[in-house]
Amino acid sequence: MLSYRHSFHSGNHADLLKHLLLLALLQKFGEKDKPFTYIDSHSGAGIYDLQSTNARMNMEHESGISRLWRRDLAHPLLQRYLACVESVNQDEQLQYYPGSPAVAQWALRAQDRLHLIDLQSAEIETLRGFLGRDGRISIHQRDAFEGLLALSPPEPRRGLALIDPSYENKADYQRVVTTVRKLQRRWPVGVIAIWYPLLAKARDQSDWLKASLLREGLEGISTYELSVAAQANEYGMHGSGMLVINTPWQTQAQLQGAFDEALPLLAPEAEFVIATHD
Ligand SMILES: C[S@@+](CC[C@H](N)C(=O)[O-])C[C@H]1O[C@@H](n2cnc3c(N)ncnc32)[C@H](O)[C@@H]1O
């Protein structure tokens, strides 16, 4: 039974990192006319009202999108990110925040395909209402890991999978490793982007996850970690990371440039670290 609802967290610093990287990867695929596939294994609802009761509980967007909203930003990736968020808002007020399915739809061309997977009925219902009429998009209510493998290799094969579990279930860490191993065999040309939390010392499993994935002998691995506070001992998420397999050329440079500009706006103690693992 899943209790995680992304509406409590939408637009926070973790979404900011994830969606900036997602936009950079999708932009890379869009540089050639050839179609691509995007698979989102943990889609969530696709659109979030930042004025909802859930979002107002902790106002997490204040650690992310709200820091950049209406700013005059110079880096092209930051400009694209703001344009994408603006596309779901009517006026200058920030009310809605796009989830990863909406970010991907914004970057999609007529020839591209999207597969969106989630298990929760409420999220699937919102997704269907918001994106269900787009003929390029298929929405699947099923288990993320099983669904991702069943859809792979997709047609067209050129493409990207985002794996974005909540890790509410600790088995998700092991399931990510096992699924990526199988996925890479089925879809060796696929770019795979995995999100993971950076947690308090007593709970953090990011080093285990990275080491386990690195042992799989995968190609072109890079990691991107954004923290907005110091690591606590017992509780809390101070940041998050993304691990990319088959990293497209110039992704690191693009993200570094964007965060050189964005980092001072996020938090005084914010840090951004990119690593390549050859
Ligand atoms: C972190 S949220 C996704 C956020 C979304 N990717 C975004 O960036 O806007 C994780 C989602 O995964 C879903 N989920 C968790 N475990 C799942 C599973 N085993 N199979 C399918 N969906 C799952 C939850 O319902 C939740 O909507």
Side-chain angles (χ1 to χ4, degrees), residues 4 6 18-19 42-44 99-100 118-120 142-144 164:
Y4 179 90
H6 197 64
K18 187 198 320 169
H19 297 156
H42 298 73
S43 288
S100 49
D118 206 284
L119 209 46
Q120 292 204 58
R142 63 191 298 180
D143 177 74
D164 182 22

Side-chain angles (χ1 to χ4, degrees), residues 7-25:
S7 48
F8 286 98
H9 312 289
S10 51
N12 69 3
H13 57 86
D15 268 2
L16 185 132
L17 168 67
K18 187 198 320 169
H19 297 156
L20 275 172
L21 181 56
L22 178 57
L23 276 175
L25 296 172

